[in-house]
Amino acid sequence: MLILVGIALTMVAAWSLRYFSGVEPLTVLSKNYSQAGLGQIGLKASDAHVIGHERGHQRWRMAAQTVTFSRDRRSLTVDGIRNGVFYDVHTHPLISIQAAHAVWQTPLGALSPANAGTLRLEGGVLATVLTPEHPILRSQAVIWDSLRTQVISPGTVSAAIPRLTVTAGSGTYTLPSLTPNSKNAGGTLILSRGIVGVFQSRNGPATLTCPGLIWNSAQNAAQSQGPVKAQIPGGLGMATATDIQANTRTGDLSGHGFSGTLLLSTEVQ
């Protein structure tokens, strides 16, 4: 009887609040409730500095115009990113970053230093790899995989590396695992789908198109994947090849299975 009386009093109180003040207090218990004007916002801050931890290690930090923490504590939204930095497991700085927007989200559980999450950046992403070569990646969206120390661009990406500028349908830059006292010395850039690049060889610029390209920073070597079409340096004609290797330090260009047409001067002796 006491339980029934308590339920009855609760319902009467809720009805009275709704009738006299227009408030519906029991709606907060509904499954799809979100507060009017706030959506799923739990906490919002302006002109903030954010540090992301995964499994107890600092993995990224950035300054931002606004930061929004979701009500379910599973996602963090960052807008107007500047001075962003990605770190390895030993807190070595790997990549500097700028972007319009970022979301850090965990698949299960609330955000905490013990949970691994996915950081996705969107809107004019500019990533500079902090190696001696300082390769630069530009894309509309990238994903930071901190466990594999990879920057992944699922869509169109532009890359600028020594002597070579490239656009591709997608790309991944992987940095090596480092010891606590070592410095970031290189990485591997893998580009796929519709590669168009301009290589500054010792004999002049050469335009290359191919299905894929791999650049190894430690070896200063770019290797084509699949057949290649090339404009010969100096505008001397067009050629095809089964593969091409380019040394991004010396400017040497070589390959296998060449065939093509050379444009020679009429004053050949």
Side-chain angles (χ1 to χ4, degrees):
M1 289 297 295
L2 290 175
I3 294 174
L4 292 176
V5 171
I7 293 173
L9 290 175
T10 301
M11 297 300 295
V12 170
W15 176 86
S16 64
L17 282 172
R18 178 179 180 181
Y19 182 83
F20 291 108
S21 63
V23 175
E24 299 185 25
L26 298 182
T27 57
V28 297
L29 303 178
S30 63
K31 181 178 180 181
N32 298 319
Y33 170 76
S34 63
Q35 188 173 347
L38 291 180
Q40 291 300 316
I41 295 176
L43 176 66
K44 187 172 184 178
S46 300
D47 194 18
H49 291 264
V50 189
I51 301 175
H53 292 82
E54 291 182 357
R55 293 182 171 89
H57 298 281
Q58 178 177 304
R59 304 311 300 269
W60 54 269
R61 69 161 59 222
M62 56 188 64
Q65 292 179 355
T66 60
V67 176
T68 305
F69 191 55
S70 68
R71 290 179 62 197
D72 61 8
R73 299 183 298 163
R74 287 179 55 185
S75 65
L76 183 73
T77 304
V78 185
D79 293 302
I81 300 165
R82 60 188 188 278
N83 301 327
V85 180
F86 296 156
Y87 299 90
D88 67 6
V89 294
H90 305 296
T91 67
H92 293 138
L94 298 176
I95 299 169
S96 66
I97 197 80
Q98 295 181 23
H101 181 77
V103 175
W104 185 33
Q105 191 168 23
T106 60
L108 296 171
L111 292 173
S112 74
N115 288 340
T118 299
L119 180 65
R120 181 182 178 91
L121 300 102
E122 298 176 333
V125 181
L126 175 64
T128 303
V129 184
L130 303 178
T131 62
E133 299 82 9
H134 282 86
I136 298 174
L137 308 177
R138 296 179 184 270
S139 179
Q140 283 302 306
V142 302
I143 298 170
W144 168 238
D145 186 337
S146 61
L147 297 179
R148 297 179 176 86
T149 58
Q150 290 180 335
V151 175
I152 303 167
S153 175
T156 302
V157 59
S158 298
I161 59 181
R163 291 184 176 268
L164 181 62
T165 56
V166 188
T167 59
S170 62
T172 299
Y173 196 100
T174 304
L175 289 122
S177 299
L178 305 176
T179 61
N181 297 322
S182 64
K183 294 183 179 180
N184 190 2
T188 302
L189 175 64
I190 301 176
L191 300 170
S192 306
R193 305 200 321 266
I195 308 299
V196 179
V198 177
F199 178 63
Q200 301 296 331
S201 73
R202 293 193 298 176
N203 298 317
T207 301
L208 312 172
T209 60
C210 58
L213 184 74
I214 298 177
W215 177 62
N216 187 305
S217 173
Q219 298 176 4
N220 298 297
Q223 171 75 49
S224 68
Q225 303 294 296
V228 183
K229 293 182 179 179
Q231 181 183 31
I232 298 173
L236 297 179
M238 298 296 296
T240 61
T242 56
D243 64 76
I244 282 180
Q245 300 85 39
N247 189 307
T248 56
R249 182 177 60 85
T250 64
D252 291 333
L253 186 65
S254 61
H256 300 89
F258 274 102
S259 64
T261 302
L262 295 178
L263 302 178
L264 300 178
S265 170
T266 56
E267 299 180 358
V268 172
Q269 297 180 355

